[in-house]
Every structure is written in structure tokens, then in C-alpha cells.
């Protein structure tokens, strides 16, 4: 018995081995039962393909299903049944689409209501804080809507005084500024008389020229105050850094006095002290330090100077790498200020550089 459909040829002979050929080539040998199963599978496949009217590119292919025993189901479904089923499915799909549209409408409506209620509650909360803040003796500072700190009257006063100091520029014609410069010299060289305001001797301290007043442009008068505070409160560290007594030094060292001016300028920027509100974590943390330490800025300056020298030695830097060392110092200082449980300058890990002298 032979069934021929396109290129498929199946030979079936009783009580013998059956050969399955495709295009004239022997594919495999099968027993009668296996061959029967194969015919069943191929018949179902051909029915599905005829149902879609596409068998080897021909739309009108004849197949007599009666030749297959036990497989007399129709190849193409009844037209009336098909139309009825398709109509039923289309009506059901339309109903489902309408339900989805209704659900989507209510979802969007509830989302809009949620946003409106959130904005309304937020406005009420902000208004309440503004009203209550008028009667409380504290100030609330919000940073980028993420950080918030309240300043006591004491903190506000200390911050205001510090900002007033930052506004003062060094004036070489001012007698008080001249006296402050001489005081710094006497702290650095107690056995030597202070030179004139314009002298080559100032270069020994680390000023760039014979007139120190030209080096205060970036730091202002507060940088001179920082140097005097350093010499007065931490004299041992001041002397070690001034004379470069610690570690293996470079042939071209950083100038001590000018480095001090740069540190003052770096701290002012890092802590956002000239801004109306601080915009950094370091600046916010510094405001908290003012609560318990009136000289927090000056103490932080002394600590930053020691950190700068330590970075200089660790990197084996020379004069041309000074800016890189300054960046490393700032990064380390910001990292320590970001630590938890820091309430005073003495809580910073690097304060160990100054602790011996403070006891």
C-alpha cells in the first residue's frame, strides 16, 4: 500500500521491514507499528496545513482521508461552526477590551487623586513648619530636600561671626594687620626680630615674595589668623611643619606660609561658608560642630595642615604635585567629616596628630 503526498513516500508492506523514503533516499527502517504511528503523525500535520490552505505552495490539494484507517475526522472544520466560534470569540474579546479600558480609567483616576492628595498634604506640612518656625528660637536649614539641620541661637551667632571674618581682606596699610603679621613672625622665630613689611626674610617662612601682603588674595585676613592660631595652640606641630623636621623631605618643598593660605581657601570652599546655605555633607556637619566648639574652623585648619604634610610625605611629592596633594587632603577630610558620631573636631580620627599637644 502506498500513500503519495508531495515528496513524501511511505511504503507499507505486511510482515516485513518497512523503509521510509524521502525524495528517493532511504531515511530509516521501521517496524510496522512504528510506521503506523508515523503515518498518523504525518496525517495530522497535513490536515493542519490544509486547514491553512498552504501545502507546498498549492492551495487546492486533494487528500482522501478514507485511506487512513481510524482517522476519518474532517480536514477542514464546518463553515457554520467556524463562523459561530469566531463570532463568539470576537464578542468575548470586545467585552474583555471594554473591561480593560474601564480598569485603566479608574487606575489613572486614582493615581491622579493620590498625587493631588500628596501635594496637598506636603503644602500643609511646609506651611505648618513655616508658621511654627516664627515662634521657635531655632532655624531650620534644608539642603537639596534631603538633609535638614536646626541651628540654635548660639550656632547662628558663631556662624555669623565666622562669615564676618571671611569678608575681611588683608590690608598692608592697616596697622592691626601689620601687627598681626609681626606676631606670626615672632611665633615662628621667637629669637629674631621681625623684619620690615617688605623684606627678603619673609621668604624663609614660605612667602613667595618679599611682600607677604601679595599672597593673601585667596585666603584673606582669616588665613593669617589661622596661622597665628596654629602657632599659638599647637606650637610643636607648627614648628615641625615650618622647618620640615619630620620624614624624608623633597628637594623642592612646598612653601609653608603659602600652603597655609591655600588650606584656608580650601576649607572655605569645602564647607560652603560663603554660601547662604551649605550644599555639601561636610558643610552641614561643620554647622553641627559649631554647637560645641567656637573655634571649630581654626581647629579644623590646624588638622588639615597636618593632614596635608602627611599626604605630602606619603606620596613623596614635590612642588609640582602640590595641587594633587591638596585634593587628596580635601578628600580625606571630607571622608572623616562624614563619619557617624562626630560631634567635635577631637572626634575625627586624624586629630591624633594634634592630641599630644592638646593634653
Amino acid at each position: 500500500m502506498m500513500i503519495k503526498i508531495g515528496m513524501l513516500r511511505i511504503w507499507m508492506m505486511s510482515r516485513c521491514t518497512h523503509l521510509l523514503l524521502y525524495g528517493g533516499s532511504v531515511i530509516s527502517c521501521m517496524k510496522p507499528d512504528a510506521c503506523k504511528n508515523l503515518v498518523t503523525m504525518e496525517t495530522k500535520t497535513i490536515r493542519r496545513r490544509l486547514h491553512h490552505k498552504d501545502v507546498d505552495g498549492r492551495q487546492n490539494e486533494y487528500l482522501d482521508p478514507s485511506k487512513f484507517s481510524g482517522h476519518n475526522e474532517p480536514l477542514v472544520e464546518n463553515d457554520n461552526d467556524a463562523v459561530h466560534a469566531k463570532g463568539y470569540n470576537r464578542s468575548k474579546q470586545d467585552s474583555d477590551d471594554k473591561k480593560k479600558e474601564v480598569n485603566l480609567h479608574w487606575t489613572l483616576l486614582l493615581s491622579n487623586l493620590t498625587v493631588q492628595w500628596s501635594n496637598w498634604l506636603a503644602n500643609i506640612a511646609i506651611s505648618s513648619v513655616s508658621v511654627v518656625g516664627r515662634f521657635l528660637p531655632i532655624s531650620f536649614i534644608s539642603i537639596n530636600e534631603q538633609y535638614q539641620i536646626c541651628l540654635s541661637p548660639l550656632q547662628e551667632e558663631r556662624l555669623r561671626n565666622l562669615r564676618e571674618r571671611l569678608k575681611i581682606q588683608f590690608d598692608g596699610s592697616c596697622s592691626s594687620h601689620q601687627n598681626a603679621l609681626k606676631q606670626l613672625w615672632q611665633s615662628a622665630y621667637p629669637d629674631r626680630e621681625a623684619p620690615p613689611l617688605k623684606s627678603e626674610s619673609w621668604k624663609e617662612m614660605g612667602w613667595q615674595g618679599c611682600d607677604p601682603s601679595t599672597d593673601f588674595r585667596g585666603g584673606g585676613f582669616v588665613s593669617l589668623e589661622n596661622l597665628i592660631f596654629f602657632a599659638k595652640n599647637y606650637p610643636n606641630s607648627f614648628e615641625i611643619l615650618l622647618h620640615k623636621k619630620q620624614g624624608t623631605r623633597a628637594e623642592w618643598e612646598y612653601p609653608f606660609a603659602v600652603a597655609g593660605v591655600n588650606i584656608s581657601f580650601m576649607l572655605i570652599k569645602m564647607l560652603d561658608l560663603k554660601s547662604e546655605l551649605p550644599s555639601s555633607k561636610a558643610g552641614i556637619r561643620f554647622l553641627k560642630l559649631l554647637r560645641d566648639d567656637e573655634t571649630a574652623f581654626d581647629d579644623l585648619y590646624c588638622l588639615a595642615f597636618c593632614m596635608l604634610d602627611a599626604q605630602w610625605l606619603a606620596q613623596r611629592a614635590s612642588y609640582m604635585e602640590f595641587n594633587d596633594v591638596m585634593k587628596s587632603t580635601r578628600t580625606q577630610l571630607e571622608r572623616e567629616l562624614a563619619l557617624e558620631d562626630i560631634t567635635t573636631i577631637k572626634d575625627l580620627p586624624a586629630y591624633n596628630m594634634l592630641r599630644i599637644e592638646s593634653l
Side-chain angles (χ1 to χ4, degrees):
M1 179 178 179
M2 181 182 70
I3 301 173
K4 181 178 179 181
I5 303 173
M7 297 296 295
L8 179 63
R9 299 174 182 176
I10 303 175
W11 294 80
M12 299 179 60
M13 295 181 296
S14 61
R15 298 182 181 179
C16 65
T17 302
H18 290 64
L19 301 179
L20 174 63
L21 298 92
Y22 182 80
S25 301
V26 177
I27 303 302
S28 61
C29 295
M30 299 183 179
K31 295 297 182 179
D33 294 338
C35 186
K36 181 178 179 181
N37 294 335
L38 179 61
V39 171
T40 302
M41 295 172 58
E42 290 296 328
T43 302
K44 292 182 178 179
T45 302
I46 293 169
R47 289 196 188 99
R48 287 194 295 269
R49 297 177 66 184
L50 288 176
H51 175 69
H52 291 87
K53 299 182 181 180
D54 185 13
V55 179
D56 292 337
R58 294 186 292 272
Q59 296 183 357
N60 298 317
E61 182 74 35
Y62 173 75
L63 180 66
D64 186 2
S66 62
K67 295 182 180 181
F68 297 94
S69 59
H71 297 283
N72 294 323
E73 61 186 35
L75 295 177
V76 181
E77 60 186 345
N78 183 274
D79 291 340
N80 294 331
D81 295 338
V83 171
H84 176 72
K86 291 179 181 178
Y88 172 76
N89 292 335
R90 187 178 296 108
S91 300
K92 183 178 180 181
Q93 183 176 1
D94 293 341
S95 177
D96 293 340
D97 291 341
K98 291 181 179 180
K99 291 181 180 180
K100 291 180 180 180
E101 291 179 0
V102 172
N103 292 335
L104 180 60
H105 172 74
W106 282 107
T107 300
L108 293 176
L109 182 61
L110 291 175
S111 299
N112 292 333
L113 289 176
T114 302
V115 172
Q116 293 177 3
W117 273 92
S118 300
N119 293 334
W120 181 66
L121 293 175
N123 291 331
I124 293 178
I126 294 174
S127 302
S128 301
V129 171
S130 301
V131 173
V132 174
R134 299 176 182 177
F135 302 98
L136 294 178
I138 58 176
S139 299
F140 288 91
I141 298 178
S142 180
I143 311 301
N144 296 332
E145 300 180 358
Q146 295 181 359
Y147 307 100
Q148 191 178 54
I149 181 175
C150 59
L151 298 180
S152 65
L154 180 60
Q155 287 173 292
E156 284 188 334
E157 180 182 0
R158 290 175 175 175
L159 179 60
R160 183 168 52 252
N161 293 339
L162 178 57
R163 286 176 172 170
E164 290 297 325
R165 290 172 59 190
L166 302 182
K167 295 178 182 179
I168 303 174
Q169 297 297 320
F170 182 85
D171 186 1
S173 63
C174 179
S175 59
S176 60
H177 292 191
Q178 295 177 3
N179 293 332
L181 196 57
K182 293 179 181 179
Q183 181 182 355
L184 176 62
W185 178 273
Q186 292 173 355
S187 299
Y189 309 103
D191 299 331
R192 297 170 58 182
E193 183 179 355
L197 295 179
K198 294 183 179 181
S199 173
E200 292 291 331
S201 299
W202 290 106
K203 294 181 180 180
E204 299 179 26
M205 189 182 293
W207 301 102
Q208 291 180 328
C210 60
D211 184 6
S213 62
T214 60
D215 293 330
F216 287 105
R217 290 187 296 270
F221 184 68
V222 70
S223 59
L224 179 56
E225 292 179 328
N226 291 150
L227 284 169
I228 295 174
F229 181 90
F230 191 16
K232 180 179 179 181
N233 293 273
Y234 305 99
N236 292 336
S237 293
F238 179 86
E239 183 179 357
I240 290 174
L241 300 187
L242 172 64
H243 299 290
K244 308 294 191 300
K245 292 182 177 181
Q246 186 175 357
T248 303
R249 314 305 305 194
E251 294 183 3
W252 196 1
E253 279 288 328
Y254 66 85
F256 175 80
V258 173
V261 175
N262 278 271
I263 292 174
S264 298
F265 181 74
M266 180 267 290
L267 289 178
I268 294 171
K269 290 187 62 178
M270 184 185 75
L271 303 176
D272 293 322
L273 293 177
K274 288 190 176 181
S275 302
E276 182 179 357
L277 296 175
S279 59
S280 63
K281 293 182 179 180
I284 299 171
R285 178 56 60 87
F286 176 75
L287 295 182
K288 294 181 179 180
L289 298 180
L290 285 177
R291 179 178 54 195
D292 299 321
D293 189 358
E294 183 178 5
T295 61
F297 181 77
D298 300 277
D299 287 323
L300 193 61
Y301 169 88
C302 300
L303 180 58
F305 215 142
C306 292
M307 294 170 66
L308 170 72
D309 193 71
Q311 289 284 345
W312 180 274
L313 294 175
Q315 299 180 28
R316 297 181 180 180
S318 185
Y319 183 80
M320 299 303 295
E321 290 82 40
F322 180 79
N323 288 335
D324 295 334
V325 175
M326 283 291 297
K327 292 179 181 178
S328 301
T329 302
R330 173 171 176 167
T331 300
Q332 181 183 357
L333 196 57
E334 289 176 332
R335 187 181 300 114
E336 294 199 7
L337 286 172
L339 296 175
E340 298 294 334
D341 301 329
I342 301 296
T343 58
T344 65
I345 300 297
K346 296 180 180 181
D347 294 330
L348 297 174
Y351 188 78
N352 291 326
M353 301 177 182
L354 300 170
R355 182 168 297 176
I356 296 177
E357 297 177 308
S358 64
L359 296 177

